[in-house]
Amino acid sequence: MTGAKRKKRSVLWGKMHTPHREDIKQWCKRRLPILEWAPQYNLKENLLPDTVSGIMLAVQQVAQGLSFAMLSSVHPVFGLYGSLFPAIIYAIFGMGRHVATGTFALTSLISANAVERLVPQSSRNLTTQSNSSVLGLSEFELQRIGVAAAVSFLGGVIQLVMFVLQLGSATFLLTEPVISAMTTGAATHVVTSQVKYLLGIKMPYISGPLGFFYIYAYVFENIKSVQLEALLLSLLSIIVLVLVKELNEQFKRKIKVVLPVDLVLIIAASFACYCTNMENTYGLEVVGHIPNGIPPPRAPPMNILSAVLTEAFGVALVGYVASLALAQGSAKKFKYSVDDNQEFLAHGLSNVIPSFLFCIPSAAAMGRTAGLYSTGAKTQVACLISCMFVLIVIYAIGPLLYWLPMCVLASIIVVGLKGMLIQFRDLKKYWNVDKIDWGIWISTYIFTICFAANVGLLFGVICTIAIVLGRFPRAKTLSIIDMKEMELKVKTEMHDSTENWPPSKRTNVKVFPGSLKTGSNIRSLSVTPRRMETSQQIKIISINNPLVFLNAKKFSADLMKIILKESDSNQPLDDVSKCEQNTLLSSLSNGNCNEEASQPCSSEKCSLVLNCSGLTFYDYTGVSTLVELYLDCKSRSVDVFLANCTASLIKAMTYYGDLDTEKPIFFDSVPAAISIIQSNKNLSKASDNSEV
C-alpha cells in the first residue's frame, strides 16, 4: 500500500507540474521567438537565399553604419558596432523575420542633438588631446560616444517600461498618415543635415525649432564657399546610386544576384581619393582613421541621463514606430504575426545592451528591410550572416576605409532615404480616399520639419484623436434593422431564382439578431440554401458604426466572433474534424494561420455581404481594412459583396485597392446582393451540367 500510494502521489505531482513546465516552455517561445522558428529552419531551401541576402545586407550595414555614425556626430567606427550588436539581439527577441535592425538615420539625428549640446565641437580644444586606451581614440571622441550611448540606454529603458506596461496595444493610435508624414519629415531633416557634406561647406551645427530653415539660410549666405570637387563627386555618386538601384529593381527577376553598388562606390571612391590625394590636393574631407577590433564593454555615463531625457524619448518613440511599421509590413507580406508588445522588448534590449558596447541608438531601417525583400531573404538568419561579414570589416577591412570621402557617404545616406522621401506620392492617395487624412499628413509633416520628429509624431496623434472625437458625436451610431422585414425582402427577392428548385434545394433564411457587447452594433444573418451536393452559406454583416483607426482592429475581431458563433452552431459534427476553422475566419486572422486552416472547406462555400448602411464616415485606416478584407477573402475563393455603400466610400475603395472590376461587388441593397449570388450560383451549376 505504501508503494502504491507513493506511486499515485508521484503521478499526481507530475500532473500538477506538467502544465507548469508547458507554460514556461510557451512563455520562452513567446519571449524568445528564435526558439520558435530556428528548430524549423530548412537548410536546403533557406540557407542559400539567406546567405546571399546576408552578404548584400552586410554591404548596406557597413555603408550606412559609417554614414549614420557621422550623422550622430560620433566617430565612424561606432557605427560599425551599431550595425553588429543590435542586429544579433533583435534576431533573438524580435518577431519580424524580414526586418534589418541596426543604425537608423532618424534615431542618429535625434541623438546628435544631445551629442552636440553636451559635447560641442568647440570643446575639442578643451579636452585632452592624448589618445585614450580605447582603440587609440581621443577623449573627445569617447565623450561624444558616451552621450550617444546614454541616449541609447535611456531610450531602451523607456521601451522596456512600455513593454512592462503592455503599451503595445496603444499603437492603433499611430495611423498610417501620421507615420508616413513623420518619417518623411524626419527624412527631410536628415537630407538637410547632409547638405554641408554634399557641398563641402564648413558650417556650425544648427538645431532646434526652425533649425531646418536656418541651415538653408546659412548655405545661401555662404554659397560662394561651396567646394566644387565635393559637389561634383556628390552629384556623380547620387546619379550612379540611383541609376544602378533602379536597374537592379527592374531586372531583379532576371538576375539572381543584384549589383552591390554601395560597396562598389565605396571601393572606387576610396581608391580614387587615395590615388589623387584629394584630401591634401583639394581639401576634400575624408572618413579618416578607423581602428580595428572591439573594445571591452563600458557602462554609459549615468550622470547625464537626466540631460538626455528628451532625446531618449524621441529615440524610443520614433525608433519603435518606424520599426513596428516595417515589422507589420513584412508580417502582412509574408503571412505571419507580430506582437506589438514583444517588439517593445526586442528594440528595448537592442538599445540597452549595445549601449554598454559603444553603440549609437538603433532601429529598423526601411532601405535595408527593402533590400531583404528584393534579395529573397527567408528568416533572420540573413541578418546573422550579415553580422559575420560586419565583424570581418571591424577586424580586418576597417582601416582601409580611411580615404573614403565624406561627400560619398552623404550621398549614400540621401539615396538610402529614397523610400521615405517618395512617400510624398501618398498625398494623392490620401486626397482621393479621405481629405481629412490628407490634411493630417500635411500638418504633421510641417510640424516635423519645423520642430522635430517626436514633436511631429505627438502632434499627429493628438490631431487625429481630436478630429475623430469631433466627428463621432455627429455620427449615426445605431442602425435599427427590422430582421423580419429583411427576411421577407430576401425571400421575395430570391423567389424568382428558387421557385423552380426541388424542395430539397429551397432556401432557408436564418436570422441571428444578436448584437455584441462591445458596442460595435454589428448584426448578422445567415442565408443557407440547402442543396444535395453542397451548401452555400451567405453571411450578412451589418456595420452600424463609423470605421476609423480607433475601431478598425476591433471591427475584424467582432466579425470573427460572429462568424465563429454561427460556424459552431451550423457546422455538422462530422465536419468539425475536417474543417476546424471556417475559411472566412482564416481570412480575418492577422496572418497567423497555417495552410490547412486557410484552405476552403470542401463541404461549404461561403459568401459575405457587408451592409454598409450604418457606415456614416470612415478614414484611411477604415478603407484599408475593408479593402484588405476583400482581397484576403478573394485569395481564398470567398466572395465578398458590399451593400448600401455611399458614393464616396465606393470611390475611396476603388482608388485604394485593386478591386475586381469584372463582376460587381457594390450593390444598392442586401437583397440585390443575395440575388446576384444566387444567380451566379445557378449560372455556375448550369455551366457544369453543360460541360458534363
Side-chain angles (χ1 to χ4, degrees):
M1 291 295 294
T2 305
K5 288 183 179 180
R6 186 180 297 111
K7 183 177 181 181
K8 183 178 181 180
R9 187 176 300 172
S10 62
V11 171
L12 293 175
W13 179 266
K15 290 183 178 180
M16 291 174 61
H17 284 73
T18 299
H20 182 64
R21 290 195 296 268
E22 288 297 322
D23 291 342
I24 295 177
K25 184 178 179 181
Q26 291 300 323
W27 185 89
C28 291
K29 286 186 176 181
R30 189 167 66 251
R31 296 306 171 210
L32 296 170
I34 192 173
L35 300 178
E36 186 72 29
W37 59 264
Q40 303 174 0
Y41 188 78
N42 191 323
L43 289 174
K44 184 177 181 181
E45 295 182 2
N46 298 337
L47 184 59
L48 180 59
D50 279 343
T51 302
V52 174
S53 298
I55 296 174
M56 302 301 297
L57 177 61
V59 175
Q60 289 182 300
Q61 290 276 41
V62 171
Q64 293 185 2
L66 296 173
S67 306
F68 295 156
M70 298 299 297
L71 182 61
S72 191
S73 298
V74 298
H75 194 279
V77 71
F78 300 121
L80 296 179
Y81 304 154
S83 300
L84 174 65
F85 298 111
I88 296 175
I89 295 172
Y90 184 83
I92 298 174
F93 293 94
M95 299 190 70
R97 302 174 193 171
H98 304 79
V99 174
T101 302
T103 56
F104 184 43
L106 306 188
T107 55
S108 297
L109 185 64
I110 294 173
S111 66
N113 294 331
V115 173
E116 293 289 349
R117 188 181 73 251
L118 298 179
V119 190
Q121 191 71 27
S122 59
S123 65
R124 177 186 290 269
N125 298 328
L126 302 178
T127 58
T128 306
Q129 293 300 312
S130 61
N131 293 337
S132 66
S133 60
V134 180
L135 300 177
L137 298 175
S138 65
E139 290 294 334
F140 175 77
E141 295 293 351
L142 291 181
Q143 289 180 13
R144 288 202 149 195
I145 187 57
V147 174
V151 174
S152 178
F153 174 80
L154 188 55
V157 170
I158 293 173
Q159 289 174 331
L160 292 177
V161 171
M162 291 180 176
F163 162 73
V164 173
L165 298 178
Q166 298 290 292
L167 294 183
S169 57
T171 54
F172 69 91
L173 297 173
L174 304 171
T175 61
E176 183 176 331
V178 172
I179 296 175
S180 174
M182 182 273 293
T183 53
T184 306
T188 308
H189 270 296
V190 175
V191 172
T192 302
S193 69
Q194 298 303 297
V195 169
K196 61 180 180 180
Y197 297 119
L198 296 172
L199 302 180
I201 297 178
K202 301 291 184 181
M203 62 182 299
Y205 183 80
I206 302 175
S207 64
L210 304 180
F212 173 85
F213 303 100
Y214 292 139
I215 291 176
Y216 285 106
Y218 183 91
V219 170
F220 285 117
E221 289 176 0
N222 299 271
I223 196 69
K224 293 183 179 180
S225 61
V226 172
Q227 203 172 5
L228 184 60
E229 295 80 8
L231 176 60
L232 293 177
L233 188 56
S234 299
L235 291 175
L236 179 62
S237 301
I238 291 175
I239 291 173
V240 171
L241 287 170
V242 172
L243 182 62
V244 176
K245 287 180 181 290
E246 286 295 327
L247 291 176
N248 283 338
E249 188 68 22
Q250 291 291 331
F251 297 100
K252 65 180 180 180
R253 296 183 179 180
K254 297 182 180 180
I255 55 178
K256 295 183 178 180
V257 181
V258 297
L259 178 65
V261 61
D262 294 342
L263 177 62
V264 173
L265 181 62
I266 289 174
I267 295 175
S270 301
F271 182 75
C273 185
Y274 171 77
C275 293
T276 59
N277 195 18
M278 291 184 182
E279 182 183 16
N280 298 322
T281 305
Y282 303 107
L284 205 64
E285 188 176 0
V286 297
V287 170
H289 174 65
I290 297 181
N292 54 3
I294 299 176
R298 174 186 291 185
M302 301 297 174
N303 59 329
I304 64 171
L305 293 182
S306 59
V308 300
L309 183 61
T310 303
E311 288 80 10
F313 264 106
V315 165
L317 295 178
V318 174
Y320 173 76
V321 169
S323 302
L324 181 64
L326 294 175
Q328 290 177 339
S330 66
K332 178 181 175 182
K333 182 178 180 68
F334 297 100
K335 305 299 182 184
Y336 59 88
S337 62
V338 170
D339 184 358
D340 298 348
N341 286 306
Q342 179 65 24
E343 290 299 291
F344 265 130
L345 175 64
H347 289 288
L349 294 176
S350 298
N351 277 308
V352 170
I353 298 176
S355 67
F356 291 83
L357 299 166
F358 300 92
C359 292
I360 60 178
S362 65
M366 181 182 292
R368 297 195 300 267
T369 301
L372 289 178
Y373 291 171
S374 61
T375 53
K378 301 297 183 182
T379 64
Q380 279 289 328
V381 171
C383 295
L384 295 176
I385 292 175
S386 73
C387 292
M388 297 170 57
F389 287 94
V390 172
L391 200 61
I392 294 174
V393 173
I394 291 175
Y395 276 96
I397 305 176
L400 301 178
L401 301 175
Y402 177 96
W403 298 98
L404 179 61
M406 289 299 303
C407 59
V408 174
L409 272 183
S411 302
I412 293 175
I413 291 178
V414 172
V415 176
L417 295 172
K418 175 190 171 185
M420 294 184 183
L421 294 174
I422 62 175
Q423 291 179 132
F424 279 109
R425 298 186 302 186
D426 294 342
L427 284 173
K428 182 179 179 181
K429 176 174 62 177
Y430 297 132
W431 179 265
N432 286 277
V433 174
D434 185 13
K435 293 179 176 57
I436 293 180
D437 279 336
W438 180 88
I440 292 175
W441 197 102
I442 293 292
S443 58
T444 302
Y445 176 79
I446 292 175
F447 264 76
T448 301
I449 64 171
C450 289
F451 300 99
N454 51 346
V455 177
L457 180 65
L458 181 62
F459 170 82
V461 171
I462 294 175
C463 185
T464 304
I465 295 175
I467 290 176
V468 171
L469 292 179
R471 295 172 74 181
F472 257 111
R474 298 193 300 269
K476 181 181 179 183
T477 57
L478 287 174
S479 178
I480 301 176
I481 301 176
D482 189 343
M483 290 299 178
K484 292 184 178 180
E485 181 180 352
M486 175 64 70
E487 180 179 359
L488 180 61
K489 286 184 178 180
V490 171
K491 288 184 176 180
T492 304
E493 192 78 27
M494 296 172 57
H495 178 71
D496 293 336
S497 61
T498 60
E499 60 181 357
N500 295 324
W501 288 5
S504 61
K505 299 181 181 181
R506 295 297 175 89
T507 302
N508 297 322
V509 181
K510 294 185 178 181
V511 180
F512 299 89
S515 62
L516 299 177
K517 298 179 181 180
T518 56
S520 301
N521 297 310
I522 297 180
R523 293 179 181 270
S524 169
L525 61 91
S526 177
V527 183
T528 308
R530 302 298 180 185
R531 301 197 60 181
M532 303 237 350
E533 301 87 352
T534 61
S535 64
Q536 174 162 344
Q537 192 174 49
I538 305 173
K539 298 183 182 296
I540 305 172
I541 306 296
S542 180
I543 308 173
N544 296 330
N545 259 344
L547 190 57
V548 294
F549 73 96
L550 290 174
N551 62 351
K553 287 185 178 180
K554 201 163 190 316
F555 169 74
S556 297
D558 290 342
L559 281 177
M560 293 176 65
K561 289 180 181 178
I562 289 178
I563 300 169
L564 180 61
K565 182 178 179 181
E566 295 183 15
S567 298
D568 292 341
S569 61
N570 292 335
Q571 193 175 29
L573 293 176
D574 295 339
D575 294 337
V576 172
S577 59
K578 298 179 182 178
C579 185
E580 295 182 356
Q581 191 178 31
N582 187 279
T583 303
L584 202 53
L585 283 178
S586 300
S587 69
L588 291 172
S589 64
N590 295 324
N592 190 17
C593 59
N594 52 33
E595 292 184 2
E596 294 181 0
S598 63
Q599 296 298 324
C601 184
S602 59
S603 63
E604 182 176 316
K605 289 184 63 179
C606 291
S607 295
L608 175 65
V609 179
L610 294 179
N611 180 15
C612 302
S613 59
L615 186 55
T616 51
F617 72 86
Y618 52 87
D619 65 357
Y620 181 84
T621 305
V623 173
S624 64
T625 300
L626 287 175
V627 173
E628 289 167 7
L629 170 65
Y630 170 80
L631 295 177
D632 199 6
C633 291
K634 179 183 175 182
S635 66
R636 292 173 171 81
S637 301
V638 177
D639 295 327
V640 178
F641 303 91
L642 293 95
N644 299 312
C645 297
T646 61
S648 60
L649 178 60
I650 296 175
K651 178 183 176 182
M653 291 186 63
T654 304
Y655 185 86
Y656 176 90
D658 185 18
L659 301 180
D660 189 0
T661 57
E662 296 181 358
K663 58 181 181 179
I665 63 172
F666 299 102
F667 296 91
D668 295 333
S669 64
V670 173
I674 297 176
S675 178
I676 290 295
I677 294 173
Q678 297 302 325
S679 299
N680 293 338
K681 181 182 177 182
N682 293 339
L683 290 175
S684 177
K685 182 63 179 177
S687 176
D688 294 341
N689 292 335
S690 63
E691 290 179 2
V692 173

